[in-house]
Amino acid sequence: MKEEIKKVEEQFHEYMKKIKSYGEAIGVMYWDLRTGAPKKGAEQRSEVIGMLSSEVFKLSTSEQMAAFIAKLGNHEIQAYISDITKKSLEECRKQYELNKKIPADEYKEYVILTSKAESVWEDAKNKADFAMFQPYLEKIVEYNKRFVEYWGYEGNKYNRLLDMYEPGVTVEVLDRVFGQLRERIVPLVQQIAASPNKPETAFLHKHFPKESQREFSLAILEELGYDFEAGRLDETVHPFATGLNPGDVRITTKYDENDFRTAIFGTIHECGHALYEQNISPDLIGTVLCDGTSMGIHESQSLFFEKFVGKNYSFWKRNYDVLKKYASGQFDDVALDDFYRAVNQSQPSLIRIEADELTYPLHIMIRYEIEKGLINGEMEVKDLPQIWNDKYEEYLGIRPNHDGEGVLQDVHWSGGSFGYFPSYALGYMYAAQFKKTMLQDLPNFDELLESGEGHVIREWLTERIHQYGSMKKPLEILNDVTGEGLNAQYLIDYLEEKYRRVYELA
Amino acid sequence: MKEEIKKVEEQFHEYMKKIKSYGEAIGVMYWDLRTGAPKKGAEQRSEVIGMLSSEVFKLSTSEQMAAFIAKLGNHEIQAYISDITKKSLEECRKQYELNKKIPADEYKEYVILTSKAESVWEDAKNKADFAMFQPYLEKIVEYNKRFVEYWGYEGNKYNRLLDMYEPGVTVEVLDRVFGQLRERIVPLVQQIAASPNKPETAFLHKHFPKESQREFSLAILEELGYDFEAGRLDETVHPFATGLNPGDVRITTKYDENDFRTAIFGTIHECGHALYEQNISPDLIGTVLCDGTSMGIHESQSLFFEKFVGKNYSFWKRNYDVLKKYASGQFDDVALDDFYRAVNQSQPSLIRIEADELTYPLHIMIRYEIEKGLINGEMEVKDLPQIWNDKYEEYLGIRPNHDGEGVLQDVHWSGGSFGYFPSYALGYMYAAQFKKTMLQDLPNFDELLESGEGHVIREWLTERIHQYGSMKKPLEILNDVTGEGLNAQYLIDYLEEKYRRVYELA
């Protein structure tokens, strides 16, 4: 009996390896499409990606998979199989159940649709032409609404989509924590707007050649412990990190020659994602667990680095001179304190990925409310430009001039990612909560950054979070690391303390 | 009945699309591995490629494939199926039969053997130690001899292997044309060696920065009609062209800062391959016919551009000033005529891939004679170093100092590629034959190059060759285009005329 189980277990691992292999091939092709694949081959490439994705879909919903779930899920044999097998099986079962409920043809059409929609979106965004993208988005929303019905849901329909990215988090939880955040952030943003102590920021916008920004980005990646033998840095319209396997975790960034912050803080953000994936335990390679456990935990790692490292005073105490070396002289007469205040400027703005850390959660809330509205049939795609602009005016007091800097700014919807945006805000709250715990172990956090020993911070995160991949669920990690559930208070305290100090508020 | 056939035909096309999709994914990953994938991910990536390759093998030898061959190959229904289906089926049947006739276990052992042999070969080559490689090569030859028996053959045993790369070409044909070539080239090479009119070549080796070579290469690609919206140029250790689909045909090159010819003529060569694949008819996308029809015809396109365009006087009349613009002054005092003579220098050398166009066919003949001898049991692996060196002395008048620059120089045999080498020389003869016919339609060939209207030449080739992909067999194309079978005379005439002129021989 035991030997037979071992055999099935091995077959299951071989089967997962195949699924992961297809996934890796798809990952390479996506990366390639975005970093420089010739445009005329894109349509055919989308077909290939569609074909492989539908193979993954078939493998994850096959009778063979059903047999693995039945055999290895049997309670009597749990003592004989490894933890990795158990957790992998759990993941596979979840996918199996989600996928079995969608008709195979419909899923294939959807994959082809979203892969085409991404290039249409890019074009539409450049031309600030929502009408170009609208028919694609309408179809994508329709598919998602249909999928929610196929899957079934508890409470709000949107809960079903949230669960894909952040198991355990619901509309009820989000309404509560977003309410708490909004209650404290909106008045703080208003106080800052009224404050006379605004930082000088003109020097941030002096010309900074792309090539030098790239070199500085590479130097910072090195400093943060990004492993270049297991990754590379490229340029894309929308920055991302992609973990093909722990030995190949690539990041991309975007350069704005008149605002170096886009590239540098974007790179640090993606580096946080990459450090997570580069440091997953090698035991998990070839299994479905070799991945971040949720979007929110993933985002907690990227935001941890972007905000708590990249926007930290001690970090710049160390790296300001390095920046000056690569820059074109614009910082030479600027004191470190003034530089620090400038990069921590808070000002309502239109573009999410360029938003400062204080106003950022408001950008997320707007997207959250729109997604919830679309999925529940309370909003229509054609009205989005108007809705979007109105909400920006309401929450942030500013209005986009065109849809390229408005509703078309993010790639997510073109890829069908609904329920994803809240992860960014969740990740931010998780990160603040991790930081609070980390300070108990590493009270010298700031000194570590100042002396270039950031690796100690990375190791703390690897030991508690990275190495597990998807072996633990997000709220399980949060509890194991911090000893409590989701608590928005740590983020609120951090923002209050920091921005009152930066803006010298009462 | 007709409707049922249509349905099977559609299923067959869908099935091929899957095979081609896997092939395209593998192609992207190979390209990626060679152009800059992070080193730590390479082992896992090889596993992924292996996994997908074995899927392709399974698909091409499956019962499903056997059923397609039986159903669609039925004589009674030939009138109902499209030409594309017929030719695709023929290709699939050929692969099916080749793969099915070898016992699965033996094939697996062979794959393991060749994959080990490749790394042993690399080591042996670096150490110039043939004894290291000998036992592997012996086994590889034994397997190939056995495979030939499994497959069956007509006439010479080596015909079976030639047919894999160049269907229709036999030992009888090659003995004839290689005999004709040898008879004229060997004396010509000797006359050149004795000639006092050697070109001055020192300026070819002046420092030429990589970035400028790249810019010049891009300018030349543009001039030759390479479509950058359907391709890109990258750098690799070994240059190649890869047609992922007609909308994405990438080329790579290698830069030697002390010999710009490596990059520029290499780029033009790969451009010839790429123009073939970029211009295959879109009707063939997704079928097994969307590919060059044979190694020889492929090579005819790359050599056409490398030799008849890239080494042409009128081409340089137009482009010499462009070269000067990108270069670092080394050509400023060199007259066009002297430059032309220099890049057309001919000199016996030991390394095939560095050989000039006149001596190149001799390198191929040596390999051909050895392969034929091995497969027919007339030579033994242990004697190869001696045989190799003797033949180099006989044909080229020079003798390798060690096996690293002799019998161990090429990778082909370690991978089991026997029958491939002749394609290089065949491509050269095809190219000369195409050129002869082209001159009847485009007697102003030289003027077209001089006035930058090379696109007319590309269009001529597309109309007669490129568009067909693998719809026509190599000798069918040759006949349709030139009105005759393989004729070595055109290449001989070209070489005689050109080299007598360049070296001012009587």
Side-chain angles (χ1 to χ4, degrees):
Chain A
M1 159 110 173
K2 202 178 153 187
E3 218 159 86
E4 200 196 312
I5 295 167
K6 282 283 151 230
K7 214 180 135 193
V8 176
E9 205 178 350
E10 267 168 36
Q11 287 166 347
F12 173 58
H13 279 270
E14 200 51 39
Y15 195 81
M16 271 199 290
K17 237 169 146 173
K18 195 157 153 183
I19 293 179
K20 287 297 282 185
S21 289
Y22 289 175
E24 186 163 330
I26 292 167
V28 174
M29 288 188 283
Y30 262 125
W31 173 86
D32 182 67
L33 268 181
R34 293 180 190 173
T35 52
K39 154 179 160 172
K40 287 185 182 166
E43 200 177 320
Q44 172 61 14
R45 189 66 32 80
S46 300
E47 296 249 355
V48 171
I49 290 173
M51 178 71 80
L52 277 160
S53 303
S54 84
E55 285 305 307
V56 170
F57 184 84
K58 278 182 208 160
L59 288 169
S60 64
T61 54
S62 67
E63 285 174 23
Q64 176 71 69
M65 180 59 89
F68 286 130
I69 292 170
K71 279 186 204 163
L72 297 172
N74 181 337
H75 284 294
E76 288 163 29
I77 66 160
Q78 294 301 297
Y80 301 107
I81 61 176
S82 74
D83 274 359
I84 290 179
T85 302
K86 276 181 221 166
K87 298 281 181 183
S88 297
L89 196 74
E90 221 174 87
E91 276 296 309
C92 288
R93 184 196 285 123
K94 184 176 171 184
Q95 276 308 313
Y96 179 85
E97 285 169 4
L98 283 176
N99 290 337
K100 269 313 235 194
K101 292 180 178 169
I102 299 181
D105 284 353
E106 225 168 296
Y107 181 72
K108 197 176 161 191
E109 285 160 24
Y110 179 67
V111 171
I112 292 171
L113 169 69
T114 50
S115 140
K116 276 188 197 152
E118 282 200 28
S119 49
V120 173
W121 161 76
E122 198 171 323
D123 215 9
K125 179 187 171 180
N126 290 336
K127 292 181 181 150
D129 182 356
F130 184 75
M132 269 179 75
F133 182 52
Q134 184 183 323
Y136 288 86
L137 186 55
E138 280 168 349
K139 278 186 208 144
I140 291 169
V141 169
E142 278 321 303
Y143 273 105
N144 273 279
K145 287 165 78 172
R146 246 190 345 264
F147 292 171
V148 168
E149 297 298 333
Y150 289 142
W151 289 324
Y153 52 91
E154 279 176 42
N156 196 295
K157 289 183 183 183
Y158 187 57
N159 283 347
R160 179 66 268 170
L161 297 173
L162 287 173
D163 189 73
M164 317 265 294
Y165 301 101
E166 211 58 23
V169 173
T170 60
V171 163
E172 293 65 32
V173 172
L174 288 180
D175 284 345
R176 171 173 57 81
V177 293
F178 282 166
Q180 291 169 342
L181 275 175
R182 196 167 44 230
E183 197 183 317
R184 298 282 288 274
I185 292 177
V186 172
L188 188 55
V189 168
Q190 285 164 354
Q191 271 187 284
I192 286 172
S195 160
N197 300 316
K198 299 244 175 7
E200 175 54 50
T201 58
F203 61 87
L204 297 176
H205 300 280
K206 293 274 169 66
H207 190 260
F208 195 154
K210 193 158 134 171
E211 196 39 55
S212 309
Q213 288 193 46
R214 179 175 152 82
E215 281 169 24
F216 179 61
S217 299
L218 291 171
I220 292 299
L221 285 171
E222 188 85 43
E223 165 104 10
L224 297 178
Y226 177 78
D227 182 353
F228 280 99
E229 291 195 345
R232 50 181 285 167
L233 175 67
D234 293 88
E235 184 183 355
T236 50
V237 177
H238 192 96
F240 65 94
T242 181
L244 302 160
N245 66 59
D248 187 354
V249 184
R250 306 179 182 191
I251 60 184
T252 73
T253 195
K254 179 184 162 179
Y255 301 99
D256 178 344
E257 296 202 322
N258 296 313
D259 191 346
F260 78 100
R261 293 173 302 176
T262 303
I264 186 61
F265 294 110
T267 302
I268 296 175
H269 179 95
E270 301 308 333
C271 177
H273 283 303
L275 290 174
Y276 191 176
E277 304 241 351
Q278 285 186 334
N279 293 294
I280 292 175
S281 164
D283 297 346
L284 301 179
I285 292 177
T287 76
V288 294
L289 306 174
C290 193
D291 206 350
T293 188
S294 73
M295 294 303 157
I297 295 292
H298 232 307
E299 207 59 26
S300 77
Q301 299 309 293
S302 54
L303 288 169
F304 189 96
F305 279 91
E306 182 187 347
K307 308 303 187 192
F308 302 130
V309 174
K311 294 288 177 84
N312 178 295
Y313 185 79
S314 298
F315 175 78
W316 285 109
K317 218 162 154 184
R318 176 176 181 80
N319 287 303
Y320 192 41
D321 283 344
V322 184
L323 176 70
K324 283 180 181 168
K325 207 181 76 191
Y326 290 104
S328 317
Q330 64 266 51
F331 305 118
D332 291 354
D333 300 328
V334 180
L336 172 61
D337 283 44
D338 294 328
F339 174 81
Y340 172 74
R341 289 191 70 213
V343 297
N344 279 292
Q345 174 197 36
S346 174
Q347 191 172 33
S349 65
L350 293 167
I351 306 296
R352 177 183 62 83
I353 58 165
E354 291 166 11
D356 59 78
E357 57 178 355
L358 179 62
T359 56
Y360 188 84
L362 299 174
H363 291 260
I364 297 306
M365 288 174 209
I366 291 171
R367 287 156 178 78
Y368 165 65
E369 289 167 18
I370 289 176
E371 291 191 348
K372 203 170 52 162
L374 286 172
I375 298 302
N376 284 292
E378 291 151 8
M379 290 180 194
E380 282 183 55
V381 168
K382 70 171 171 47
D383 302 325
L384 289 194
Q386 179 75 34
I387 294 173
W388 183 282
N389 296 349
D390 290 348
K391 283 193 185 285
Y392 265 77
E393 195 146 13
E394 185 190 342
Y395 288 3
L396 288 146
I398 49 175
R399 200 174 177 91
N401 288 310
H402 57 75
D403 293 335
E405 58 181 26
V407 67
L408 287 171
Q409 71 183 261
D410 293 307
V411 69
H412 304 61
W413 293 340
S414 75
S417 302
F418 287 88
Y420 187 127
F421 279 121
S423 314
Y424 293 117
L426 284 166
Y428 203 0
M429 289 182 265
Y430 293 156
Q433 207 166 325
F434 291 143
K435 169 78 191 298
K436 185 79 185 173
T437 306
M438 188 187 282
L439 282 177
Q440 291 160 20
D441 295 336
L442 306 173
N444 58 338
F445 182 88
D446 289 344
E447 289 99 83
L448 289 170
L449 291 181
E450 193 179 332
S451 59
E453 289 169 280
H455 62 94
V456 178
I457 293 167
R458 201 272 302 153
E459 282 154 15
W460 191 95
L461 293 165
T462 292
E463 195 187 325
R464 285 159 185 79
I465 301 164
H466 303 163
Q467 63 161 324
Y468 294 107
S470 301
M471 280 290 278
K472 295 183 177 186
K473 294 264 168 273
L475 295 181
E476 189 182 349
I477 286 199
L478 188 69
N479 257 296
D480 286 356
V481 177
T482 70
E484 62 175 322
L486 182 62
N487 188 338
Q489 200 56 47
Y490 301 112
L491 178 60
I492 293 170
D493 289 347
Y494 162 77
L495 292 172
E496 285 269 359
E497 187 280 321
K498 176 162 179 180
Y499 284 91
R500 291 201 176 279
R501 185 162 41 78
V502 169
Y503 281 86
E504 300 167 14
L505 302 177
Chain B
M1 158 117 174
K2 203 179 151 186
E3 219 158 86
E4 201 197 311
I5 296 167
K6 281 284 150 229
K7 214 181 134 192
V8 177
E9 205 178 350
E10 268 167 35
Q11 286 165 347
F12 174 59
H13 278 269
E14 201 52 37
Y15 195 82
M16 273 200 289
K17 237 167 144 173
K18 194 158 153 182
I19 293 179
K20 288 296 283 185
S21 289
Y22 289 175
E24 185 163 330
I26 292 168
V28 174
M29 288 188 284
Y30 262 124
W31 174 87
D32 181 67
L33 268 181
R34 294 179 191 175
T35 52
K39 149 181 160 175
K40 287 185 182 167
E43 199 178 318
Q44 172 60 15
R45 189 67 32 82
S46 299
E47 294 242 0
V48 171
I49 290 173
M51 179 73 79
L52 277 161
S53 302
S54 83
E55 285 304 306
V56 170
F57 185 83
K58 277 182 209 160
L59 288 170
S60 64
T61 55
S62 67
E63 284 174 24
Q64 175 69 69
M65 180 59 90
F68 284 131
I69 292 170
K71 278 187 203 161
L72 297 172
N74 182 335
H75 284 295
E76 286 163 29
I77 66 159
Q78 294 300 300
Y80 300 108
I81 61 176
S82 74
D83 274 0
I84 290 179
T85 302
K86 277 180 219 166
K87 299 280 181 182
S88 297
L89 195 75
E90 223 174 86
E91 276 296 309
C92 289
R93 183 197 284 122
K94 186 176 169 182
Q95 275 310 311
Y96 180 86
E97 285 170 0
L98 284 176
N99 290 336
K100 282 304 241 194
K101 283 182 179 167
I102 299 180
D105 284 354
E106 226 169 295
Y107 184 72
K108 201 175 157 190
E109 284 160 27
Y110 180 66
V111 169
I112 294 169
L113 170 67
T114 50
S115 93
K116 269 189 208 154
E118 280 199 34
S119 50
V120 174
W121 162 77
E122 203 172 320
D123 212 10
K125 178 187 170 179
N126 290 334
K127 293 181 180 149
D129 181 356
F130 184 75
M132 270 179 75
F133 182 51
Q134 184 183 323
Y136 289 87
L137 186 55
E138 279 166 350
K139 278 187 208 143
I140 291 171
V141 170
E142 279 321 304
Y143 272 105
N144 272 279
K145 286 163 81 172
R146 233 174 16 251
F147 292 170
V148 167
E149 299 296 334
Y150 289 140
W151 287 326
Y153 55 91
E154 279 176 44
N156 196 293
K157 290 182 183 183
Y158 186 59
N159 286 346
R160 178 65 266 171
L161 297 173
L162 286 173
D163 190 72
M164 317 262 293
Y165 303 100
E166 209 61 21
V169 172
T170 60
V171 163
E172 294 66 32
V173 172
L174 288 179
D175 282 346
R176 172 173 56 81
V177 294
F178 283 166
Q180 292 169 340
L181 273 174
R182 193 167 49 229
E183 196 182 315
R184 299 282 289 277
I185 292 177
V186 172
L188 187 55
V189 167
Q190 287 163 353
Q191 273 186 281
I192 286 172
S195 161
N197 299 315
K198 299 245 177 2
E200 174 55 50
T201 58
F203 61 88
L204 296 176
H205 300 279
K206 293 274 168 66
H207 190 258
F208 195 152
K210 194 159 132 169
E211 195 39 54
S212 310
Q213 287 193 45
R214 178 175 153 82
E215 281 170 26
F216 180 61
S217 299
L218 291 172
I220 293 300
L221 284 171
E222 187 83 43
E223 165 105 11
L224 298 177
Y226 177 77
D227 182 352
F228 280 99
E229 291 197 343
R232 49 183 285 169
L233 174 67
D234 293 87
E235 184 183 357
T236 51
V237 178
H238 300 286
F240 65 94
T242 181
L244 301 161
N245 67 58
D248 188 354
V249 184
R250 306 179 183 191
I251 59 185
T252 72
T253 196
K254 179 184 163 178
Y255 301 98
D256 178 344
E257 296 202 323
N258 296 313
D259 191 345
F260 79 100
R261 293 175 300 177
T262 303
I264 187 62
F265 294 111
T267 302
I268 296 176
H269 181 94
E270 301 308 333
C271 177
H273 283 304
L275 290 175
Y276 191 175
E277 303 239 353
Q278 284 187 334
N279 293 294
I280 291 175
S281 165
D283 298 346
L284 300 179
I285 291 176
T287 74
V288 295
L289 306 174
C290 193
D291 206 350
T293 188
S294 72
M295 294 302 161
I297 296 292
H298 232 308
E299 207 61 25
S300 78
Q301 299 308 293
S302 53
L303 289 168
F304 189 96
F305 280 91
E306 181 186 348
K307 308 303 187 193
F308 302 131
V309 174
K311 295 286 177 85
N312 178 295
Y313 185 79
S314 297
F315 175 78
W316 285 108
K317 216 161 155 185
R318 177 177 179 80
N319 287 304
Y320 192 41
D321 282 343
V322 185
L323 176 70
K324 284 180 180 169
K325 207 182 75 192
Y326 290 103
S328 318
Q330 63 267 54
F331 306 118
D332 292 355
D333 299 328
V334 179
L336 172 61
D337 283 44
D338 294 328
F339 174 82
Y340 171 75
R341 289 190 71 213
V343 296
N344 280 293
Q345 175 196 34
S346 173
Q347 193 170 31
S349 63
L350 292 167
I351 306 297
R352 176 183 61 84
I353 58 168
E354 291 165 9
D356 60 76
E357 59 175 354
L358 178 61
T359 56
Y360 189 85
L362 300 174
H363 292 260
I364 298 304
M365 286 175 213
I366 292 171
R367 287 154 178 79
Y368 163 69
E369 289 168 18
I370 290 175
E371 291 191 349
K372 196 172 58 166
L374 287 172
I375 298 300
N376 285 292
E378 290 152 6
M379 289 181 194
E380 283 185 54
V381 168
K382 70 171 171 45
D383 302 325
L384 289 194
Q386 179 75 35
I387 295 172
W388 183 282
N389 295 349
D390 290 349
K391 283 192 184 286
Y392 264 77
E393 192 145 16
E394 184 190 344
Y395 291 180
L396 287 145
I398 48 176
R399 201 173 176 91
N401 289 310
H402 56 76
D403 293 335
E405 58 181 25
V407 68
L408 288 171
Q409 71 183 262
D410 293 306
V411 69
H412 303 60
W413 293 341
S414 74
S417 300
F418 287 88
Y420 188 124
F421 279 122
S423 313
Y424 294 118
L426 283 167
Y428 203 1
M429 289 183 265
Y430 293 156
Q433 203 165 329
F434 291 144
K435 169 80 190 296
K436 184 78 184 175
T437 306
M438 188 187 282
L439 282 178
Q440 290 162 17
D441 295 335
L442 306 173
N444 56 338
F445 181 88
D446 288 345
E447 288 100 84
L448 288 170
L449 290 180
E450 193 179 333
S451 59
E453 290 169 281
H455 62 94
V456 178
I457 293 167
R458 200 273 301 154
E459 282 155 16
W460 191 96
L461 293 166
T462 292
E463 196 187 324
R464 287 159 184 80
I465 301 164
H466 303 163
Q467 64 161 325
Y468 295 106
S470 300
M471 278 291 279
K472 295 183 177 186
K473 295 262 167 276
L475 295 182
E476 192 182 347
I477 286 197
L478 190 69
N479 255 298
D480 287 356
V481 176
T482 70
E484 61 177 321
L486 182 62
N487 187 337
Q489 200 55 49
Y490 302 112
L491 178 60
I492 293 169
D493 289 347
Y494 161 77
L495 292 171
E496 285 268 0
E497 186 280 322
K498 177 165 178 176
Y499 284 90
R500 291 201 173 281
R501 187 162 39 78
V502 169
Y503 281 85
E504 299 167 16
L505 304 177

